Amino acid sequence: MYRLQSLAARSLIAGALDQCSPLTLTSLTGVRHKSQGPSVEKCGQMRFLTAEAKAAAGRLEGKLREKTLTLDTLNPQVKAVEYAVRGPIVIKAGEIERYLEEGGTKPFSEVIKANIGDAHAMGQQPITFLRQVVALCTFPELMDSPSFPEDAKWRARRILQGCGGHSLGSYSASPGVECIRKDIAAYIEQRDEGVPSDWENIYLTTGASDGIMTILRLLVSGKDSSRTGVMIPIPQYPLYSAAISEMDAVQVNYYLDEDNCWALDINELYRAYQAAKLHCQPRVICIINPGNPTGRYIDNVYTPDCQFHSFKKVLYEMGPEYFNSVELASFHSTSKGYTGECGFRGGYMEVINMDPEVKAQMVKLLSVRLCPPLAGQAAMDVIVNPPQPDEHSYKQFRQEKSSVLGALADKAKLTEQILNAVPGIKCNPVQGAMYAFPRIFIPPKAVEEAKALGMQPDMFYCLRLLEETGICVVPGSGFGQKDGTYHFRMTILPSIEKLKVLLGKVRDFHIRFLKEYSALE
């Protein structure tokens, strides 16, 4: 592996020219020093531009080596990874979008992407106060502007004081900016009604996914029957199955009770655990309140008789025997909730009761990735430290937050009502978060046709839905489901007007689909 030096660019090189002397390319950008001339050959070392390199390579007597990295040599765990949320359906949707942009015609004028929980891409407006604080942190000269409120400026100054050089462009400590970690701990204590939180157990992450991957890396070990088993709820968020495959751990499914609004069944949990012990070592259980795409988030709870309870608070209420011994990692992020700030990639994890020596190893692992983006850390700080009732920005913040959550609650109810009125579709109440996971009846003839095409029946259904209506949803098979049942996941994030159009198209398509396969009674 040779170093390529070009304007501080860094690359990993797999394979090299089959020559006895190292080949160093000193310019990859088309920038060239006048003193170099056309090319220089000196002491077995050649210097030339990219175009010249190609020409010279063709004149070399030796042949280029075969590719070092091929599908045959690729890490098999990478090939085993699947991620339905951005899988074949989404790729096909992108192709159709480009076709329409180039003047092609379809039975629809646009692709409606209901496959991913990207709130802002669906038109949700950002929370003003959060953006003000991040803007001030990014461009401190705005501190002199009267357009920004003092409570936003105060938070920005405090965050910048915790940054190297008072700049958001610096690295932070690997666990994150200290004052932000302290704000998160204070927020957790308030959320859990006084349950203590130690800021040194708080670690900022690049979205929640980064923290989840870190914890799984610590847990996965062993071979054969001693391999780590990871218990995950089904349906699950594909991050977990993808990470388990990549790390060569064992996925242990426990099924949520669809007939009981996706509740967690203790007997099913026990069954899955006992069965897994026969072929692996179950060491971790993932619980997502109780699952994604069927779960809730802290603020996004729409059913009046439901409220959020953290697992940490429940442990505390169970007494010291549990609270002081059970190893628990909890995750939160800027991406979901009412802010929907996916692009900032901000998040945190709180890790309690971890062995001190293991914690040192985790900090070492976190240090390898240096630190999470500081803009994301700043955004996370605003979420846990929003305007208070006695501050100038509180009224506007409260109005914006209530508007977002109120609209989501209305769309959750609308989605449930319209889908449940369609023959062959059953949708549980959307009690929180931003997704529906309706069960769809797929006639036997359609199941046979899908299998003949080598695809899952719900993938066949969702592809047909996309090609005929322009609606992009994710097949339930990408999240896991009981054998013989079929679902799709859709987001409720589009505007109320667009959501009505989307649901109407789903209804009409499903009825046509049933008629086509002679299943409508």
Side-chain angles (χ1 to χ4, degrees):
M1 187 179 296
Y2 305 109
R3 174 169 294 177
L4 303 186
Q5 299 175 327
S6 171
L7 301 180
R10 301 177 183 177
S11 302
L12 292 177
I13 310 303
L17 287 174
D18 189 11
Q19 295 293 309
C20 58
S21 301
L23 180 63
T24 304
L25 307 185
T26 59
S27 178
L28 300 178
T29 61
V31 177
R32 186 174 186 174
H33 298 291
K34 291 181 180 178
S35 61
Q36 282 186 296
S39 63
V40 178
E41 296 187 15
K42 184 178 180 181
C43 299
Q45 184 181 51
M46 302 180 185
R47 297 184 177 184
F48 33 59
L49 300 179
T50 304
E52 294 167 331
K54 291 180 180 178
R59 296 193 298 269
L60 292 173
E61 294 181 2
K63 294 182 179 180
L64 290 176
R65 292 178 179 175
E66 294 182 357
K67 298 279 188 192
T68 299
L69 187 59
T70 68
L71 278 178
D72 290 333
T73 61
L74 182 67
N75 183 337
Q77 272 65 60
V78 172
K79 288 190 282 187
V81 169
E82 293 184 3
Y83 189 65
V85 174
R86 294 177 181 261
I89 289 279
V90 183
I91 295 171
K92 182 66 176 178
E95 293 173 357
I96 293 175
E97 272 192 318
R98 289 189 292 274
Y99 176 75
L100 291 172
E101 289 169 359
E102 293 168 359
T105 57
K106 289 281 185 182
F108 47 86
S109 59
E110 65 171 334
V111 173
I112 302 177
K113 291 184 177 177
N115 61 294
I116 194 167
D118 190 347
H120 290 202
M122 288 292 182
Q124 179 177 311
Q125 294 303 301
I127 299 296
T128 300
F129 188 76
L130 186 150
R131 289 297 184 90
Q132 287 174 331
V133 174
V134 175
L136 288 161
C137 288
T138 305
F139 192 59
E141 285 82 351
L142 293 173
M143 298 285 187
D144 298 328
S145 171
S147 299
F148 289 79
E150 286 303 318
D151 46 2
K153 291 178 180 178
W154 177 83
R155 282 168 175 76
R157 290 191 192 99
R158 181 168 174 270
I159 292 169
L160 289 174
Q161 285 171 3
C163 299
H166 294 180
S167 172
L168 217 60
S170 63
Y171 287 128
S172 73
S174 295
V177 176
E178 183 174 310
C179 69
I180 298 177
R181 297 169 71 195
K182 290 180 176 178
D183 284 348
I184 292 169
Y187 158 80
I188 292 172
E189 283 197 14
Q190 182 183 39
R191 180 200 69 191
D192 292 342
E193 300 175 332
V195 177
S197 177
D198 183 347
W199 70 270
E200 292 191 290
N201 290 334
I202 306 296
Y203 303 88
L204 277 297
T205 57
T206 307
S209 303
D210 174 43
I212 292 165
M213 295 290 283
T214 296
I215 296 298
L216 286 177
R217 286 191 183 99
L218 296 175
L219 284 158
V220 173
S221 65
K223 294 182 179 181
D224 301 323
S225 61
S226 67
R227 280 196 303 164
T228 296
V230 182
M231 300 185 68
I232 61 173
I234 299 297
Q236 55 103 19
Y237 181 52
L239 163 70
Y240 295 95
S241 56
I244 291 166
S245 294
E246 181 182 344
M247 297 178 193
D248 200 24
V250 178
Q251 179 174 321
V252 179
N253 297 338
Y254 65 90
Y255 290 86
L256 302 177
D257 185 355
E258 182 172 9
D259 293 332
N260 192 22
C261 210
W262 301 110
L264 176 60
D265 185 330
I266 298 299
N267 291 328
E268 165 60 14
L269 204 60
Y270 183 77
R271 178 209 62 78
Y273 176 74
Q274 293 297 330
K277 286 170 67 177
L278 300 176
H279 62 274
C280 69
Q281 182 62 49
R283 300 181 66 204
V284 56
I285 179 171
C286 172
I287 313 175
I288 326 174
N289 296 345
N292 177 323
T294 61
R296 276 76 93 186
Y297 295 99
I298 295 173
D299 294 289
N300 299 54
V301 179
Y302 314 131
T303 306
D305 58 349
C306 291
Q307 67 180 87
F308 175 84
H309 298 274
S310 76
F311 288 98
K312 182 185 176 188
K313 181 184 176 184
V314 172
L315 277 180
Y316 183 81
E317 292 170 346
M318 292 172 71
E321 177 186 357
Y322 295 95
F323 185 69
N324 295 327
S325 63
V326 174
E327 298 151 278
L328 176 70
S330 304
F331 308 91
H332 191 21
S333 80
T334 63
S335 301
K336 303 300 185 278
Y338 63 91
T339 58
E341 294 282 9
C342 303
F344 276 117
R345 307 307 300 136
Y348 73 80
M349 60 180 176
E350 182 186 29
V351 184
I352 64 172
N353 296 322
M354 179 175 278
D355 181 283
E357 292 182 346
V358 174
K359 182 182 283 190
Q361 294 296 314
M362 182 181 72
V363 172
K364 178 185 71 175
L365 195 60
L366 292 173
S367 69
V368 172
R369 54 92 157 119
L370 298 179
C371 69
L374 266 74
Q377 294 191 48
M380 193 73 249
D381 187 74
V382 180
I383 291 173
V384 300
N385 185 22
Q388 299 303 302
D390 60 346
E391 292 185 298
H392 173 80
S393 299
Y394 179 77
K395 183 178 179 181
Q396 182 182 6
F397 166 77
R398 194 71 199 169
Q399 287 175 340
E400 292 176 350
K401 178 180 177 180
S402 298
S403 176
V404 169
L405 293 175
L408 285 170
D410 291 341
K411 290 186 282 190
K413 190 66 177 175
L414 177 72
T415 301
E416 176 195 345
Q417 289 174 341
I418 293 180
L419 290 179
N420 280 331
V422 181
I425 295 183
K426 180 181 182 298
C427 183
N428 274 322
V430 182
Q431 294 181 316
M434 51 195 63
Y435 308 106
F437 196 66
R439 182 172 176 175
I440 51 176
F441 172 68
I442 298 181
K445 288 184 179 179
V447 172
E448 292 173 7
E449 185 171 333
K451 290 181 177 177
L453 293 170
M455 64 177 69
Q456 293 287 340
D458 51 7
M459 172 66 82
F460 174 70
Y461 178 97
C462 291
L463 276 172
R464 287 281 304 270
L465 176 67
L466 173 63
E467 291 170 347
E468 295 181 25
T469 69
I471 294 171
C472 180
V473 296
V474 188
S477 52
F479 299 87
Q481 55 199 352
K482 285 187 176 179
D483 289 342
T485 68
Y486 307 107
H487 303 77
F488 64 78
R489 188 191 84 163
M490 59 164 285
T491 179
I492 62 171
L493 289 171
S495 67
I496 198 79
E497 295 78 14
K498 186 166 285 190
L499 184 62
K500 288 178 180 177
V501 172
L502 185 157
L503 293 169
K505 287 187 173 185
V506 169
R507 176 194 60 216
D508 295 344
F509 166 81
H510 189 76
I511 292 172
R512 288 197 310 270
F513 189 83
L514 294 183
K515 284 182 178 179
E516 179 180 346
Y517 292 96
S518 304
L520 187 61
E521 296 179 359

